Amino acid sequence: MADVAEAAGVSRATVSRVLTRDPAVVEATAAAVREVIERLGYRPNRAAQALMGASRTLGVIFGEPPGRASALLLRGINEVATSAGYTLAVAIATDSDGEELRRGLNTMVEQSAAAVMVLPSTSLNAEVLAAADVPFPIISTTDLGPGSPCSVAALDELGAVDVVMEHLLEIGRSRILHIGARPETLVSRFRWDGWKARVDDADFFEMAEEWTARAGYEALHRAVARGARPDAVFAATDEMALGAMHAAAELGLRVPEDLAVAGFGGLPITEFFGPGLTSVATALHERGALAVEECVRRLAEPDGPPSYRLIAGELVVRRSTVAARSSDQVSAGRGDVHGVVGGVL
């Protein structure tokens, strides 16, 4: 297909549309493509032949190593896709130069995917999506901004971070240490930007190389060793926050009396560690469902523009964060409080 596209001076997407007899292709262009197909003796493979009919396959490409969060997102995608009569093709693209993502997109072309959902992890991934020459709509499950070249069905990251920071400030914490991770990743940048808008003090920032509990544990130890004296921690993930709580115990810091701790992700298990971890539940199942809904919309409206849809997170307040001057008034129960962050745009 690539040879035909090059010889005809068109994109591979146009070749695919000619093969599927898409009436939207200008007849002169379609005729030129058919002439090249005949001259080169090109014969569509089975995947291309399947494009002649309506494909019932949706693609999913993860741009970061699979974890529990990815599994929850995939569960939401699978439930809605299956109920709509689609099957899934899944690929992983975790390299730093974008080549795996390009191969993943090519694989989805070969598998006749009708639409593809991508969880881009880096700005480079986003650039690959912007330059992709594929015959199907792409839906990003990470926020790429309102000017995104593809549809977005993602979490309102900045809104979620803002509500965590607002909560910590409202309970009287001002020296808020942010434990961030992998600065090249899009979500790390969102969480750093949200923290910086409220604190912007380099003394209260600690970078970790991984999204793990050990990384959070080591980061708090490093921060205290270099003289930082935070009264709160906002960690980029729940796992990192749990590691920070363990480090706090070793450092003689009581949670929440001396150090309030908040995470990000809303993993159910966090309710049962220490006093219970305050976190933002990131609506992974709902985001998966929204991504499939956007696939179906784009397939029903092939000429329609990409949409930009952000879904709310939910702040879950537990006893790891209480007011600095009123911790002795908090009851022994966890007393979770739920609040919606942002909204669907």
Side-chain angles (χ1 to χ4, degrees):
M1 185 182 293
D3 291 340
V4 172
E6 182 178 359
V10 299
S11 68
R12 286 190 300 168
T14 298
V15 175
S16 292
R17 293 186 180 104
V18 172
L19 289 171
T20 58
R21 302 183 179 90
D22 187 340
V25 180
V26 175
E27 177 53 33
T29 301
V33 171
R34 288 194 294 267
E35 188 277 327
V36 171
I37 289 173
E38 183 66 24
R39 174 161 50 85
L40 295 181
Y42 174 75
R43 294 295 179 266
N45 59 20
R46 292 177 62 188
Q49 289 170 350
L51 284 170
M52 298 295 185
S55 171
R56 303 304 297 176
T57 298
L58 298 179
V60 183
I61 302 177
F62 289 104
E64 59 186 41
R68 180 169 176 81
S70 299
L72 291 172
L73 179 64
L74 185 59
R75 179 182 175 184
I77 290 172
N78 183 64
E79 287 183 3
V80 179
T82 300
S83 66
Y86 289 92
T87 58
L88 296 181
V90 180
I92 309 297
T94 60
D95 63 328
S96 59
D97 61 6
E99 188 56 35
E100 286 185 3
L101 179 54
R102 294 184 186 93
R103 286 201 298 268
L105 290 169
N106 287 336
T107 297
M108 295 303 168
V109 173
E110 294 169 0
Q111 295 190 9
S112 306
V116 173
M117 293 157 278
V118 181
L119 180 67
S121 62
T122 67
S123 297
L124 179 56
N125 285 164
E127 292 173 7
V128 171
L129 294 183
D133 175 20
V134 290
F136 45 68
I138 295 174
I139 291 81
S140 172
T141 60
T142 301
D143 187 5
L144 301 179
S148 169
C150 60
S151 289
V152 169
L155 175 72
D156 179 4
E157 292 273 354
L158 287 177
V161 174
D162 191 59
V163 80
V164 174
M165 293 299 297
E166 182 66 23
H167 168 67
L168 292 173
L169 292 169
E170 285 181 349
I171 64 172
R173 310 301 168 117
S174 58
R175 303 187 308 278
I176 303 171
L177 174 72
H178 178 46
I179 301 177
R182 297 178 60 190
E184 75 276 9
T185 64
L186 293 167
V187 293
S188 287
R189 185 72 189 192
F190 275 123
R191 292 165 203 180
W192 182 81
D193 284 345
W195 166 84
K196 188 172 183 290
R198 296 293 189 128
V199 177
D200 194 17
D201 186 337
D203 287 341
F204 292 104
F205 177 71
E206 194 67 38
M207 176 59 64
E209 292 300 320
E210 300 177 329
W211 300 88
T212 63
R214 175 165 294 279
Y217 166 86
E218 294 175 349
L220 183 58
H221 269 291
R222 288 197 304 271
V224 172
R226 61 178 168 76
R229 292 294 179 266
D231 57 12
V233 167
F234 163 49
T237 68
D238 285 340
E239 291 91 340
M240 297 167 79
L242 294 175
M245 285 205 292
H246 187 69
E250 292 185 352
L251 292 165
L253 299 172
R254 299 169 300 165
V255 176
E257 291 85 355
D258 303 319
L259 187 73
V261 180
F264 202 100
L267 297 180
I269 198 171
T270 55
E271 179 182 356
F272 302 101
F273 280 80
L277 178 67
T278 290
S279 181
V280 173
T282 56
L284 287 160
H285 186 279
E286 292 81 357
R287 286 159 58 191
L290 185 68
V292 176
E293 290 174 7
E294 180 59 15
C295 287
V296 174
R297 185 194 72 82
R298 290 297 307 277
L299 292 172
E301 304 172 10
D303 296 326
S307 70
Y308 180 63
R309 305 174 71 186
L310 300 185
I311 195 168
E314 183 182 25
L315 179 65
V316 182
V317 179
R318 299 192 179 101
R319 293 194 66 240
S320 69
T321 59
V322 295
R325 289 184 292 276
S326 60
S327 60
D328 58 333
Q329 299 175 6
V330 177
S331 64
R334 288 188 174 86
D336 298 355
V337 178
H338 299 258
V340 172
V341 182
V344 179
L345 304 183

